[in-house]
Amino acid sequence: MKSPSFALLFLCLATAPISVVKADSPAPSPAGTQSSDAAPATADAEITRRADALLARMTLEEKIGQLTQIGPSPRSPEVKSEDLVRQGGAGSMLWTLDTGLMRRLQEIAVKESRLGIPMLFGFDVIHGYKNVFPVPIAMASSWDPALVERSQAIAAKEAAASGINWTFGPMLDIARDARWGRMVEGAGEDPYLGEVMARAQVRGFQGPQLGTPGRVLASAKHFVGYGASEGGRDYDSCYVPGILLHNLYLRPFRAAIDAGVGNVMSAYMCLNDVPAGGNAWLLRDVLRGELGFRGFVVSDSYTTPALVAHGLARDEADAAAKALNAGVNVDMGSETYLRNAANLVRSGRVPVAVLDSLVHEVLETKLRLGLFERPYIDPMDKDRVLGDPAHRAATRVAAQRSMVLLRNEGGILPLKKSLKSLAVIGPLADSAEDVKGPWTAEWSQGVSVLEGLRAKLPHTKITAVTGGDTQRKYPLAWDARAGKPAPTLMTETQMRAEEAQAVKAARKADAVVLVLGERASMSGEDASSSELALGGNQQRLLEAVVATGKPVVLVLMNGRPLNITWAASHVSAILEAWYPGVEGGNAIADILLGDVNPGGKLPVTWPRSAGQCPIYYNHNLTQSRDDDPTFTSRYATDSDSSPLYPFGHGLSYTRFTFSNLTVAPVPDQASGSLEISVDVSSVGPVAGDEVIQIYTHQRAGSVVRPARELKAFRRETFAAGETRTLRFAIPLAELRYWNPQTRTWILEPGTFDLWVGGDSKATLHAEFTVTGS
């Protein structure tokens, strides 16, 4: 279509001092391109030449070895991992943190295998290595990409010093359904926020380009649509139309690829009835073609043989053929390629050219990482790096900036440090393990909420009571395979006794901090939930403690929204702490006692109950009635259809107002930006952070567009009483969308609404018009 010209209509002039803010707003990149941080063309040519030379010398078995990832012990008991590596039969390993084993196997690969090709060692370094940071959904709640990048850089440095050179992260799955356990691993429901966090994590893990010393290879997962699993059930099928695939689920992956991510992990599930791990259209046409990905693809754990269970493949050999031909370079853990690929190539079911291309991509990545020049770690580095006190301190800052104050009626928070007595109640209150959340690597000592409060209030009498229990109903799948039973929940008699003790402690205290939520094992992979209720006896405990009439602060530790609808109208203060990491207890105490002013914002819409799921702010507008313009899609017989808390919500110990919104004309039609200015004022008594959020809506076009879409944001710190004018420059390409009729990205002429505020319900409004040429 022709390049449109643009007329932007609105008025208002700013009068306060101006601070210029550039929105982090990338446009979709052309197919076949990747990050500007990638190596220059001359380096690319040299990498290609070296990979060509290696490939020309490899036997069929050595090629297959580069596509095989093994665990510490090969699945065939008669085969030792050392021998397999020596023969060139394994190019990578996972499921080990044994630095000595990794060093020994790397020496065998480099010094004793015929071609000396170094190995990759992968592990799920999701939110820290030894010094555990808040979980990814918490980090997204910071709305601070610079913080996220610094945090993942520390995680990468620690992992690299320990022998890990490949992390299976970041997880980039958009999640709109809180029942899905893996919501905890991502950045929430919004594609723009997901893009920003994807770039930050890739840059944190990998540095400005692959091969940056002290960084690791990142893996963008799970490609793609995994977060759309039916009913929020982990591993279940996903049905995603093209308009959602391109405008929602692919966008964080595109951003990661543009940032130079070197690896992509295919997803477990079926996407539109084709398993992602055997989907040639997805992995070749979309990933490598449309998105221009240049690295290699790894399956998720055992997903290659699972093609048989899905019904895509007849047997294991057929599964290997379909995965290889679809473009899955590396088989994770199952050794399916190792057992079947040679016969498939010899029989012609997998062409030699296909195999060579897959191997070449793996070799190129290893070369870009600098593994041939730097295959080993310095064993003296590990203790020094992991013990760096600056790393531990950084986890506390990250936790402080990630927490979301959901409610603070009557200004109950911050608590006064002059409290004579405090009751700290809840099954998670004194858990130094659960505070770290799921997906932790090397063990480290966490700080519980109770410990943090005792350190902060040395002269306050603090009484601690568990008050009951919460546990998952079934054991984790990998625990069940190892014969471990499900955790044992307290008996009803025990829980009633604990509740009585909790009520007694609450009545004697000046205030109560109630710590509820989910244990770390109740969130993450294999942790989907049909309900979002507070587990065990926690709801009953909550109501009993509130009934004492004492001031109650509810602290939530969890990886997804839970049903706190009762609490939202009966508890004065609610702090969403997520799983805040090793320094979580101290960070929570910092906020509860006012040493830190909370500034986090929700990266998801918070439902009133599981029955509202999936729920998200960027839904379409639907039918209304002339006699009732508020009539739209809704629950009409038993529930308020609005969310409990909107996307982007988060309070502070101060207040902010927005005014004087201005949208300026666009000077350059071809590469112009939407120039926006707005006054933001801190009208409370203390300094604090606000996240300025900008949303737009295209009123009419060739397809229906969402009611609101996040287009820019920035977290800013304001002094008490300060007013500042902020300017945003949003590339016009951000207004484009993938049109299912033209199957292209388009920007249509028409009228747009624009809102600026502190959450997705922002009311400060302007409009502008895009006119076609």
Side-chain angles (χ1 to χ4, degrees), residues 418-500:
S418 59
L419 280 171
K420 298 297 183 183
S421 60
L422 179 69
V424 181
I425 298 170
L428 304 179
D430 195 24
S431 175
E433 278 301 299
D434 290 304
V435 75
K436 295 185 290 187
W439 291 118
T440 56
E442 292 232 357
W443 184 86
S444 57
Q445 180 64 48
V447 178
S448 72
V449 179
L450 176 63
E451 290 169 328
L453 287 169
R454 280 183 168 158
K456 187 74 70 173
L457 297 170
H459 304 299
T460 300
K461 180 183 178 181
I462 296 179
T463 303
V465 182
T466 63
D469 197 8
T470 182
Q471 299 286 356
R472 58 183 290 138
K473 184 174 183 180
Y474 302 105
L476 288 161
W478 38 93
D479 286 345
R481 286 194 293 269
K484 296 180 182 179
T488 303
L489 187 70
M490 280 185 182
T491 66
E492 180 66 16
T493 300
Q494 290 171 325
M495 288 192 287
R496 291 285 183 181
E498 282 291 334
E499 287 170 32

Side-chain angles (χ1 to χ4, degrees), residues 12-25:
C12 257
L13 295 175
T15 57
I18 291 176
S19 171
V20 177
V21 177
K22 185 176 181 181
D24 192 353
S25 306

Side-chain angles (χ1 to χ4, degrees), residues 6 106 153 192 248 262 282 400 442 593 696 716:
F6 310 89
Q106 192 71 294
Y192 179 79
L248 187 71
L282 193 64
Q400 293 165 348
E442 292 232 357
L593 276 301
T696 65
E716 288 283 316

Side-chain angles (χ1 to χ4, degrees), residues 69 98 150 166 274 293 311 327 389 426 461 487 536 563 605 627 711:
Q69 184 174 52
D98 187 335
R150 291 193 300 271
W166 178 11
V274 182
F293 178 59
K461 180 183 178 181
N563 186 341
T605 300
D627 62 327
K711 295 300 181 182

Side-chain angles (χ1 to χ4, degrees), residues 586-621:
N586 286 329
I588 289 169
D590 291 336
I591 289 178
L592 296 185
L593 276 301
D595 291 337
V596 172
N597 191 349
K601 300 281 187 173
L602 290 177
V604 291
T605 300
W606 197 291
R608 296 177 181 275
S609 68
Q612 285 187 309
C613 294
I615 187 171
Y616 42 92
Y617 84 94
N618 49 354
H619 54 79
N620 287 347
L621 296 172

Side-chain angles (χ1 to χ4, degrees), residues 5 7 41 84 92 102 249 291 312 401 440 442 453 463 485 563 570 624 768:
S5 62
L84 194 59
S92 59
M102 290 185 278
Y249 294 102
L291 302 188
L312 186 74
R401 292 181 68 81
T440 56
E442 292 232 357
L453 287 169
T463 303
N563 186 341
H570 292 84
S624 62
F768 61 92

Side-chain angles (χ1 to χ4, degrees), residues 49-226:
R49 185 197 65 77
R50 292 177 66 186
D52 287 344
L54 266 175
L55 187 65
R57 298 174 58 199
M58 296 174 76
T59 66
L60 174 59
E61 287 71 23
E62 287 168 336
K63 292 176 182 178
I64 295 167
Q66 290 302 304
L67 308 185
T68 297
Q69 184 174 52
I70 61 172
S73 299
R75 297 191 68 196
S76 301
E78 67 276 6
V79 178
K80 294 183 178 180
S81 56
E82 290 87 348
D83 293 336
L84 194 59
V85 172
R86 192 174 288 111
Q87 296 161 10
S92 59
M93 176 176 280
L94 77 165
W95 299 326
T96 184
L97 297 176
D98 187 335
T99 300
L101 173 63
M102 290 185 278
R103 174 66 185 240
R104 185 167 69 252
L105 290 175
Q106 192 71 294
E107 288 186 345
I108 292 173
V110 172
K111 297 178 180 178
E112 300 181 34
S113 71
R114 189 175 72 90
L115 296 177
I117 302 173
M119 295 182 69
L120 286 166
F121 295 95
F123 199 81
D124 291 278
V125 183
I126 305 302
H127 56 108
Y129 190 73
K130 181 177 179 64
N131 288 289
V132 180
F133 284 83
V135 291
I137 194 153
M139 295 298 281
S141 299
S142 73
W143 292 59
D144 185 348
L147 173 76
V148 172
E149 182 173 342
R150 291 193 300 271
S151 301
Q152 296 297 36
I154 290 172
K157 187 175 183 180
E158 293 187 359
S162 305
I164 300 294
N165 50 30
W166 178 11
T167 177
F168 302 132
M171 192 195 88
L172 305 182
D173 300 301
I174 296 292
R176 292 172 152 189
D177 192 332
R179 294 172 298 180
W180 190 51
R182 302 196 78 166
M183 177 179 274
V184 67
E185 297 176 53
E189 72 185 49
D190 184 73
Y192 179 79
L193 182 61
E195 288 173 334
V196 173
M197 293 302 164
R199 283 193 300 275
Q201 292 196 77
V202 170
R203 290 169 180 164
F205 282 134
Q206 293 188 172
Q209 63 183 40
L210 283 180
T212 300
R215 304 296 178 94
V216 298
L217 173 67
S219 179
K221 68 181 187 184
H222 307 83
F223 197 76
V224 63
Y226 186 27

